[in-house]
Every structure is written in C-alpha cells, then in structure tokens.
Amino acid sequence: QVKAVRDGGYMAAESGARGWNSENVSDSNIREIKEACKEFDVEFNTLHVWANMIHPDMAEREKVHRLNVDAIEMAERLGMKYILTHTGGRDAENKDKPHPLNHTRETWKMSVDATKKILKDTSGSKINLGFEAVNSCNNNTPQSHLRLREDVGDARVKVTLDPCNMLHPGTIFRTTELLDQCFDMLGEEIMYCHAKDKVWNEMLPHFEGVALGTGLVDYETYLARLSRLKTPRVLLIEHLPDDQYPPSKKHLEDTAKKLGVKIYS
C-alpha cells in the first residue's frame, strides 16, 4: 500500500482508525510501517476516526470514545502529530445524516463534553485532535471550529480543513470568501487539509462531487493561502472515482505552477 501511494505520485496518506490498537498492531508492525514509509518517502500522516462521539446509544458512544483514545495512543507510536475526528450528530445510523437536534445547544454541549473526556483520558499526550467540519452537523463553519476550541479550553483542539464540508447555498458561489475566512480565522491551527470540488445542478440543495477544477472551489486561493502557513500541510484529494484522481492531481499541480507555489511530490 505504501508503494502504491508513492507510485501514484503522492507523498502522504491517512487510514481509517478502526483496528489500530495495541491488540492488533505490534511493535514489529510499527517498525515495518515506518521502514516502508522511509523507503518510499511517504508520510503516514493521520488516523481518521470516522465515528460518532455523541452516538445516541451510550454503549456505542463509549466504543467511539475508546476508538479515539486508541487512535491517539497509536498515533504516538506511529510518530504522528494528530488524529482526524468529528463532533458527531444525533442520528443513530449515520453520524453525518441531518437531524433536527444537531444544531441545538444540548448537542453542542454533548460534543464539547465528549471532546473533554477524550482529552482527559489522554492527558499528557502531544497528539492533537484535528476536527473536520461536516455541514449537516454542529461543526460546519470556521466560527464553529474556533468556538469548539474555546469551549473545550484545550490547545490540542485543532482543525482538519475541508471547505467543501462547509458549503451551503450561501457559500457555494463564494468559495474565495469562505477560504479567506477559514485561513484568516484558523491559520496555524489548521493541521491538515482535504481537497474536493462541488457543483450545484439542481433547484434544491444537492452538491455533486466532481474532479478538482471542474467545480466551484477556488483552488488558486486555497493553494495560495496554504503556501503562506509556516510549515507545509498535507492536502488529501478524496471521495472521487479512481479515474478522476489523476486529472484532479494535475489541476493542483498546474494551479500551483501558475501561482509559483511549491507542491512536494
């Protein structure tokens, strides 16, 4: 898998967090992974906890808490700086499904409390939590990213920037403004970035994923603002059919060349 990442012209990858714990991954496994990453010049940059930390079922919620804690412990062993996680939602089947209670004060407090519990149970760890926005849930704007950090009150609360997950009818045609707002407000708290593109082709809100450069996201502004951060960030292209990754990667490279922005590949 590491070689395949490099052969595709990429230098970093993430993995889902499920299964990454001390019961399943030995010290020798860790050494093997690190050696492969070094050999092929690939950064294994994060574990993605795609799970609902405020699941309505308390037993499931505790499992997700354990998943986040295990991911943090494993990230330390792997030499990572952060994990990717989410504030969750109130639907029992899908954490990203819209729910009438997702934007209530009660749900926000649940997300804050769940985050505090993770941080408390991993006290002393240097691994940050890079929260990713989800537009159907309560963390879906640059302002909510800031408020989460303030309400939790811990510097380990960081940002995985995904501007497409903040899109709605009021922002879909104003992505330059949205991106500038994200970088102005969040700046160096951004640990990691996702790259997607969207179009709006129906009367009611439904944003279709498309290859980068064929939608409405302003990648000139995205790359320019990324380049001004103090250190390079990983930018992950995601959620596309296999045949759309090469043209999406080329769009990033062509845009970067046009801007004079360095992409490491």
Side-chain angles (χ1 to χ4, degrees), residues 14-15 17 45-51 68 71-72 75 80 82-86 95 127-133 159-162 192-194 236 238:
E14 70 172 42
S15 171
N45 69 301
T46 193
L47 296 173
H48 187 161
V49 185
W50 193 89
N68 275 283
I72 289 169
M80 297 172 176
Y82 52 87
I83 64 165
L84 195 171
T85 193
H86 303 262
K95 74 172 187 63
I127 300 298
N128 295 308
L129 280 66
F131 282 89
E132 179 182 6
V159 177
T160 295
L161 182 62
D162 192 326
Y192 175 39
C193 300
H194 284 171
L236 177 84
E238 62 170 1

mmCIF file of all heavy atoms in Angstrom, residues 14-15 17 45-51 68 71-72 75 80 82-86 95 127-133 159-162 192-194 236 238:
data_model
loop_
_atom_site.group_PDB
_atom_site.id
_atom_site.type_symbol
_atom_site.label_atom_id
_atom_site.label_comp_id
_atom_site.label_asym_id
_atom_site.label_seq_id
_atom_site.Cartn_x
_atom_site.Cartn_y
_atom_site.Cartn_z
ATOM 1 N N GLU A 14 -3.712 8.844 4.703
ATOM 2 C CA GLU A 14 -4.316 8.588 6.006
ATOM 3 C C GLU A 14 -4.919 7.194 5.994
ATOM 4 O O GLU A 14 -5.052 6.563 4.945
ATOM 5 C CB GLU A 14 -5.406 9.618 6.327
ATOM 6 C CG GLU A 14 -6.649 9.474 5.464
ATOM 7 C CD GLU A 14 -7.804 10.368 5.905
ATOM 8 O OE1 GLU A 14 -7.566 11.537 6.241
ATOM 9 O OE2 GLU A 14 -8.954 9.880 5.890
ATOM 10 N N SER A 15 -5.314 6.719 7.179
ATOM 11 C CA SER A 15 -6.015 5.444 7.284
ATOM 12 C C SER A 15 -7.191 5.621 8.226
ATOM 13 O O SER A 15 -7.140 6.418 9.162
ATOM 14 C CB SER A 15 -5.091 4.356 7.829
ATOM 15 O OG SER A 15 -5.822 3.168 8.130
ATOM 16 N N ALA A 17 -9.297 4.651 11.412
ATOM 17 C CA ALA A 17 -8.709 4.317 12.712
ATOM 18 C C ALA A 17 -9.115 2.946 13.234
ATOM 19 O O ALA A 17 -8.455 2.420 14.138
ATOM 20 C CB ALA A 17 -9.095 5.387 13.734
ATOM 21 N N ASN A 45 0.265 10.169 7.661
ATOM 22 C CA ASN A 45 0.105 11.414 8.414
ATOM 23 C C ASN A 45 -0.979 11.400 9.477
ATOM 24 O O ASN A 45 -0.918 12.183 10.417
ATOM 25 C CB ASN A 45 -0.129 12.591 7.459
ATOM 26 C CG ASN A 45 -1.474 12.527 6.769
ATOM 27 O OD1 ASN A 45 -1.767 11.566 6.069
ATOM 28 N ND2 ASN A 45 -2.299 13.526 6.971
ATOM 29 N N THR A 46 -1.992 10.525 9.365
ATOM 30 C CA THR A 46 -3.019 10.540 10.417
ATOM 31 C C THR A 46 -3.883 9.299 10.378
ATOM 32 O O THR A 46 -3.946 8.583 9.375
ATOM 33 C CB THR A 46 -3.914 11.791 10.303
ATOM 34 O OG1 THR A 46 -4.680 11.935 11.498
ATOM 35 C CG2 THR A 46 -4.845 11.715 9.120
ATOM 36 N N LEU A 47 -4.580 9.070 11.491
ATOM 37 C CA LEU A 47 -5.644 8.083 11.581
ATOM 38 C C LEU A 47 -6.972 8.835 11.641
ATOM 39 O O LEU A 47 -7.112 9.797 12.394
ATOM 40 C CB LEU A 47 -5.481 7.222 12.838
ATOM 41 C CG LEU A 47 -4.229 6.351 12.877
ATOM 42 C CD1 LEU A 47 -4.088 5.685 14.252
ATOM 43 C CD2 LEU A 47 -4.263 5.284 11.789
ATOM 44 N N HIS A 48 -7.923 8.385 10.855
ATOM 45 C CA HIS A 48 -9.202 9.075 10.719
ATOM 46 C C HIS A 48 -10.267 8.332 11.526
ATOM 47 O O HIS A 48 -10.661 7.217 11.184
ATOM 48 C CB HIS A 48 -9.593 9.135 9.244
ATOM 49 C CG HIS A 48 -10.798 9.969 8.964
ATOM 50 N ND1 HIS A 48 -11.077 10.467 7.697
ATOM 51 C CD2 HIS A 48 -11.823 10.405 9.744
ATOM 52 C CE1 HIS A 48 -12.198 11.162 7.740
ATOM 53 N NE2 HIS A 48 -12.671 11.124 8.977
ATOM 54 N N VAL A 49 -10.737 8.975 12.597
ATOM 55 C CA VAL A 49 -11.795 8.390 13.421
ATOM 56 C C VAL A 49 -13.134 8.831 12.840
ATOM 57 O O VAL A 49 -13.712 9.839 13.257
ATOM 58 C CB VAL A 49 -11.663 8.812 14.900
ATOM 59 C CG1 VAL A 49 -12.717 8.086 15.742
ATOM 60 C CG2 VAL A 49 -10.267 8.500 15.421
ATOM 61 N N TRP A 50 -13.607 8.082 11.858
ATOM 62 C CA TRP A 50 -14.912 8.372 11.252
ATOM 63 C C TRP A 50 -15.954 7.634 12.082
ATOM 64 O O TRP A 50 -16.325 6.493 11.798
ATOM 65 C CB TRP A 50 -14.950 7.926 9.789
ATOM 66 C CG TRP A 50 -16.128 8.482 9.042
ATOM 67 C CD1 TRP A 50 -16.193 9.663 8.360
ATOM 68 C CD2 TRP A 50 -17.432 7.890 8.938
ATOM 69 N NE1 TRP A 50 -17.453 9.844 7.839
ATOM 70 C CE2 TRP A 50 -18.236 8.780 8.172
ATOM 71 C CE3 TRP A 50 -18.010 6.722 9.423
ATOM 72 C CZ2 TRP A 50 -19.572 8.513 7.875
ATOM 73 C CZ3 TRP A 50 -19.352 6.458 9.132
ATOM 74 C CH2 TRP A 50 -20.110 7.349 8.362
ATOM 75 N N ALA A 51 -16.405 8.287 13.152
ATOM 76 C CA ALA A 51 -17.328 7.654 14.091
ATOM 77 C C ALA A 51 -18.025 8.745 14.885
ATOM 78 O O ALA A 51 -17.584 9.894 14.909
ATOM 79 C CB ALA A 51 -16.584 6.703 15.019
ATOM 80 N N ASN A 68 -11.286 6.744 19.716
ATOM 81 C CA ASN A 68 -10.486 7.970 19.700
ATOM 82 C C ASN A 68 -9.250 7.847 20.584
ATOM 83 O O ASN A 68 -8.152 8.247 20.188
ATOM 84 C CB ASN A 68 -11.349 9.152 20.165
ATOM 85 C CG ASN A 68 -12.164 9.772 19.058
ATOM 86 O OD1 ASN A 68 -11.655 10.522 18.223
ATOM 87 N ND2 ASN A 68 -13.455 9.459 19.046
ATOM 88 N N ALA A 71 -6.770 5.594 18.946
ATOM 89 C CA ALA A 71 -6.151 6.260 17.795
ATOM 90 C C ALA A 71 -5.062 7.223 18.252
ATOM 91 O O ALA A 71 -3.999 7.327 17.619
ATOM 92 C CB ALA A 71 -7.212 7.006 16.984
ATOM 93 N N ILE A 72 -5.301 7.933 19.344
ATOM 94 C CA ILE A 72 -4.298 8.859 19.877
ATOM 95 C C ILE A 72 -3.064 8.094 20.343
ATOM 96 O O ILE A 72 -1.925 8.478 20.041
ATOM 97 C CB ILE A 72 -4.911 9.697 21.016
ATOM 98 C CG1 ILE A 72 -5.922 10.695 20.437
ATOM 99 C CG2 ILE A 72 -3.827 10.440 21.801
ATOM 100 C CD1 ILE A 72 -6.773 11.388 21.472
ATOM 101 N N ALA A 75 -1.303 6.830 17.284
ATOM 102 C CA ALA A 75 -0.653 7.934 16.571
ATOM 103 C C ALA A 75 0.687 8.275 17.202
ATOM 104 O O ALA A 75 1.662 8.586 16.494
ATOM 105 C CB ALA A 75 -1.571 9.160 16.566
ATOM 106 N N MET A 80 2.978 10.292 14.599
ATOM 107 C CA MET A 80 2.099 11.296 14.013
ATOM 108 C C MET A 80 1.979 12.500 14.948
ATOM 109 O O MET A 80 2.399 12.453 16.102
ATOM 110 C CB MET A 80 0.710 10.694 13.756
ATOM 111 C CG MET A 80 0.707 9.566 12.754
ATOM 112 S SD MET A 80 -0.920 8.745 12.690
ATOM 113 C CE MET A 80 -0.627 7.573 11.354
ATOM 114 N N TYR A 82 -1.224 14.275 14.947
ATOM 115 C CA TYR A 82 -2.649 14.499 15.186
ATOM 116 C C TYR A 82 -3.450 13.317 14.667
ATOM 117 O O TYR A 82 -2.957 12.516 13.860
ATOM 118 C CB TYR A 82 -3.128 15.776 14.484
ATOM 119 C CG TYR A 82 -2.760 15.824 13.019
ATOM 120 C CD1 TYR A 82 -3.581 15.255 12.055
ATOM 121 C CD2 TYR A 82 -1.572 16.410 12.592
ATOM 122 C CE1 TYR A 82 -3.240 15.285 10.718
ATOM 123 C CE2 TYR A 82 -1.214 16.438 11.258
ATOM 124 C CZ TYR A 82 -2.053 15.872 10.318
ATOM 125 O OH TYR A 82 -1.698 15.890 8.993
ATOM 126 N N ILE A 83 -4.679 13.202 15.156
ATOM 127 C CA ILE A 83 -5.657 12.326 14.541
ATOM 128 C C ILE A 83 -6.754 13.205 13.948
ATOM 129 O O ILE A 83 -6.868 14.381 14.268
ATOM 130 C CB ILE A 83 -6.265 11.320 15.541
ATOM 131 C CG1 ILE A 83 -7.070 12.040 16.634
ATOM 132 C CG2 ILE A 83 -5.178 10.439 16.136
ATOM 133 C CD1 ILE A 83 -7.977 11.123 17.434
ATOM 134 N N LEU A 84 -7.562 12.619 13.077
ATOM 135 C CA LEU A 84 -8.695 13.319 12.479
ATOM 136 C C LEU A 84 -9.958 12.779 13.143
ATOM 137 O O LEU A 84 -10.154 11.566 13.218
ATOM 138 C CB LEU A 84 -8.729 13.058 10.975
ATOM 139 C CG LEU A 84 -9.590 13.944 10.073
ATOM 140 C CD1 LEU A 84 -9.297 13.646 8.613
ATOM 141 C CD2 LEU A 84 -11.072 13.788 10.326
ATOM 142 N N THR A 85 -10.812 13.671 13.638
ATOM 143 C CA THR A 85 -12.043 13.227 14.292
ATOM 144 C C THR A 85 -13.170 14.204 14.011
ATOM 145 O O THR A 85 -12.994 15.194 13.296
ATOM 146 C CB THR A 85 -11.793 13.024 15.802
ATOM 147 O OG1 THR A 85 -12.888 12.314 16.374
ATOM 148 C CG2 THR A 85 -11.568 14.351 16.514
ATOM 149 N N HIS A 86 -14.361 13.922 14.577
ATOM 150 C CA HIS A 86 -15.577 14.681 14.274
ATOM 151 C C HIS A 86 -16.392 14.903 15.535
ATOM 152 O O HIS A 86 -16.366 14.079 16.461
ATOM 153 C CB HIS A 86 -16.446 13.917 13.271
ATOM 154 C CG HIS A 86 -15.761 13.589 11.982
ATOM 155 N ND1 HIS A 86 -15.923 14.341 10.850
ATOM 156 C CD2 HIS A 86 -14.897 12.595 11.648
ATOM 157 C CE1 HIS A 86 -15.202 13.825 9.864
ATOM 158 N NE2 HIS A 86 -14.568 12.763 10.330
ATOM 159 N N LYS A 95 -23.644 9.270 11.431
ATOM 160 C CA LYS A 95 -23.289 10.490 12.169
ATOM 161 C C LYS A 95 -23.417 11.749 11.317
ATOM 162 O O LYS A 95 -23.557 12.851 11.855
ATOM 163 C CB LYS A 95 -21.859 10.389 12.701
ATOM 164 C CG LYS A 95 -20.773 10.545 11.637
ATOM 165 C CD LYS A 95 -19.397 10.631 12.243
ATOM 166 C CE LYS A 95 -18.365 10.958 11.186
ATOM 167 N NZ LYS A 95 -18.568 12.278 10.553
ATOM 168 N N ILE A 127 -0.473 14.438 21.017
ATOM 169 C CA ILE A 127 -1.253 14.245 19.795
ATOM 170 C C ILE A 127 -2.466 15.175 19.813
ATOM 171 O O ILE A 127 -3.256 15.190 20.763
ATOM 172 C CB ILE A 127 -1.720 12.786 19.661
ATOM 173 C CG1 ILE A 127 -0.517 11.836 19.620
ATOM 174 C CG2 ILE A 127 -2.573 12.611 18.408
ATOM 175 C CD1 ILE A 127 0.413 12.065 18.437
ATOM 176 N N ASN A 128 -2.614 15.960 18.759
ATOM 177 C CA ASN A 128 -3.733 16.887 18.627
ATOM 178 C C ASN A 128 -4.946 16.196 18.007
ATOM 179 O O ASN A 128 -4.832 15.141 17.370
ATOM 180 C CB ASN A 128 -3.325 18.072 17.757
ATOM 181 C CG ASN A 128 -2.246 18.915 18.403
ATOM 182 O OD1 ASN A 128 -2.376 19.327 19.549
ATOM 183 N ND2 ASN A 128 -1.167 19.169 17.680
ATOM 184 N N LEU A 129 -6.106 16.818 18.190
ATOM 185 C CA LEU A 129 -7.333 16.347 17.566
ATOM 186 C C LEU A 129 -7.700 17.330 16.458
ATOM 187 O O LEU A 129 -8.081 18.470 16.723
ATOM 188 C CB LEU A 129 -8.478 16.273 18.588
ATOM 189 C CG LEU A 129 -8.540 15.064 19.506
ATOM 190 C CD1 LEU A 129 -7.349 15.046 20.454
ATOM 191 C CD2 LEU A 129 -9.843 15.051 20.302
ATOM 192 N N GLY A 130 -7.571 16.897 15.213
ATOM 193 C CA GLY A 130 -7.903 17.748 14.078
ATOM 194 C C GLY A 130 -9.356 17.534 13.676
ATOM 195 O O GLY A 130 -9.671 16.592 12.938
ATOM 196 N N PHE A 131 -10.245 18.382 14.164
ATOM 197 C CA PHE A 131 -11.672 18.212 13.882
ATOM 198 C C PHE A 131 -12.000 18.649 12.458
ATOM 199 O O PHE A 131 -11.588 19.714 12.005
ATOM 200 C CB PHE A 131 -12.505 19.021 14.877
ATOM 201 C CG PHE A 131 -12.626 18.363 16.208
ATOM 202 C CD1 PHE A 131 -11.684 18.587 17.201
ATOM 203 C CD2 PHE A 131 -13.677 17.497 16.475
ATOM 204 C CE1 PHE A 131 -11.787 17.972 18.438
ATOM 205 C CE2 PHE A 131 -13.796 16.876 17.708
ATOM 206 C CZ PHE A 131 -12.843 17.110 18.699
ATOM 207 N N GLU A 132 -12.785 17.808 11.783
ATOM 208 C CA GLU A 132 -13.229 18.101 10.415
ATOM 209 C C GLU A 132 -14.681 18.567 10.436
ATOM 210 O O GLU A 132 -15.533 17.943 11.066
ATOM 211 C CB GLU A 132 -13.098 16.854 9.544
ATOM 212 C CG GLU A 132 -13.557 17.070 8.112
ATOM 213 C CD GLU A 132 -13.467 15.806 7.269
ATOM 214 O OE1 GLU A 132 -13.161 14.731 7.823
ATOM 215 O OE2 GLU A 132 -13.725 15.894 6.056
ATOM 216 N N ALA A 133 -14.962 19.648 9.742
ATOM 217 C CA ALA A 133 -16.335 20.143 9.641
ATOM 218 C C ALA A 133 -17.198 19.168 8.852
ATOM 219 O O ALA A 133 -16.729 18.478 7.945
ATOM 220 C CB ALA A 133 -16.353 21.509 8.968
ATOM 221 N N VAL A 159 -7.680 21.792 13.756
ATOM 222 C CA VAL A 159 -8.586 21.807 12.605
ATOM 223 C C VAL A 159 -8.052 20.927 11.479
ATOM 224 O O VAL A 159 -6.876 21.012 11.115
ATOM 225 C CB VAL A 159 -8.761 23.243 12.061
ATOM 226 C CG1 VAL A 159 -9.644 23.247 10.816
ATOM 227 C CG2 VAL A 159 -9.338 24.154 13.139
ATOM 228 N N THR A 160 -8.925 20.084 10.949
ATOM 229 C CA THR A 160 -8.719 19.485 9.633
ATOM 230 C C THR A 160 -9.615 20.277 8.685
ATOM 231 O O THR A 160 -10.846 20.205 8.785
ATOM 232 C CB THR A 160 -9.102 18.002 9.605
ATOM 233 O OG1 THR A 160 -8.216 17.274 10.460
ATOM 234 C CG2 THR A 160 -9.001 17.442 8.189
ATOM 235 N N LEU A 161 -9.010 21.042 7.804
ATOM 236 C CA LEU A 161 -9.790 21.957 6.965
ATOM 237 C C LEU A 161 -10.380 21.232 5.763
ATOM 238 O O LEU A 161 -9.652 20.675 4.948
ATOM 239 C CB LEU A 161 -8.906 23.116 6.486
ATOM 240 C CG LEU A 161 -9.625 24.165 5.641
ATOM 241 C CD1 LEU A 161 -10.727 24.849 6.436
ATOM 242 C CD2 LEU A 161 -8.634 25.196 5.109
ATOM 243 N N ASP A 162 -11.703 21.258 5.673
ATOM 244 C CA ASP A 162 -12.401 20.743 4.500
ATOM 245 C C ASP A 162 -13.456 21.775 4.104
ATOM 246 O O ASP A 162 -14.592 21.739 4.582
ATOM 247 C CB ASP A 162 -13.054 19.397 4.787
ATOM 248 C CG ASP A 162 -13.527 18.715 3.513
ATOM 249 O OD1 ASP A 162 -13.953 19.433 2.584
ATOM 250 O OD2 ASP A 162 -13.466 17.480 3.432
ATOM 251 N N TYR A 192 -4.216 19.972 8.753
ATOM 252 C CA TYR A 192 -4.349 19.034 7.645
ATOM 253 C C TYR A 192 -5.498 19.523 6.781
ATOM 254 O O TYR A 192 -6.411 20.197 7.273
ATOM 255 C CB TYR A 192 -4.640 17.661 8.260
ATOM 256 C CG TYR A 192 -4.944 16.495 7.367
ATOM 257 C CD1 TYR A 192 -4.274 16.285 6.168
ATOM 258 C CD2 TYR A 192 -5.891 15.549 7.761
ATOM 259 C CE1 TYR A 192 -4.548 15.183 5.380
ATOM 260 C CE2 TYR A 192 -6.172 14.435 6.989
ATOM 261 C CZ TYR A 192 -5.503 14.254 5.793
ATOM 262 O OH TYR A 192 -5.770 13.163 5.009
ATOM 263 N N CYS A 193 -5.470 19.230 5.476
ATOM 264 C CA CYS A 193 -6.480 19.767 4.565
ATOM 265 C C CYS A 193 -6.996 18.697 3.614
ATOM 266 O O CYS A 193 -6.247 17.815 3.182
ATOM 267 C CB CYS A 193 -5.892 20.919 3.744
ATOM 268 S SG CYS A 193 -5.292 22.295 4.736
ATOM 269 N N HIS A 194 -8.263 18.816 3.272
ATOM 270 C CA HIS A 194 -8.888 17.942 2.286
ATOM 271 C C HIS A 194 -9.205 18.738 1.020
ATOM 272 O O HIS A 194 -9.520 19.925 1.090
ATOM 273 C CB HIS A 194 -10.170 17.336 2.834
ATOM 274 C CG HIS A 194 -9.942 16.223 3.802
ATOM 275 N ND1 HIS A 194 -10.954 15.662 4.542
ATOM 276 C CD2 HIS A 194 -8.806 15.556 4.148
ATOM 277 C CE1 HIS A 194 -10.452 14.698 5.303
ATOM 278 N NE2 HIS A 194 -9.159 14.634 5.087
ATOM 279 N N LEU A 236 -5.142 16.279 1.022
ATOM 280 C CA LEU A 236 -5.627 14.974 0.582
ATOM 281 C C LEU A 236 -6.787 15.114 -0.389
ATOM 282 O O LEU A 236 -7.828 15.687 -0.039
ATOM 283 C CB LEU A 236 -6.084 14.152 1.793
ATOM 284 C CG LEU A 236 -6.684 12.787 1.462
ATOM 285 C CD1 LEU A 236 -5.583 11.760 1.284
ATOM 286 C CD2 LEU A 236 -7.663 12.345 2.534
ATOM 287 N N GLU A 238 -9.916 13.505 -2.041
ATOM 288 C CA GLU A 238 -10.738 12.400 -1.530
ATOM 289 C C GLU A 238 -12.093 12.322 -2.216
ATOM 290 O O GLU A 238 -12.552 13.257 -2.869
ATOM 291 C CB GLU A 238 -10.940 12.538 -0.021
ATOM 292 C CG GLU A 238 -11.666 13.795 0.402
ATOM 293 C CD GLU A 238 -12.054 13.796 1.867
ATOM 294 O OE1 GLU A 238 -11.752 12.817 2.579
ATOM 295 O OE2 GLU A 238 -12.676 14.775 2.300
#
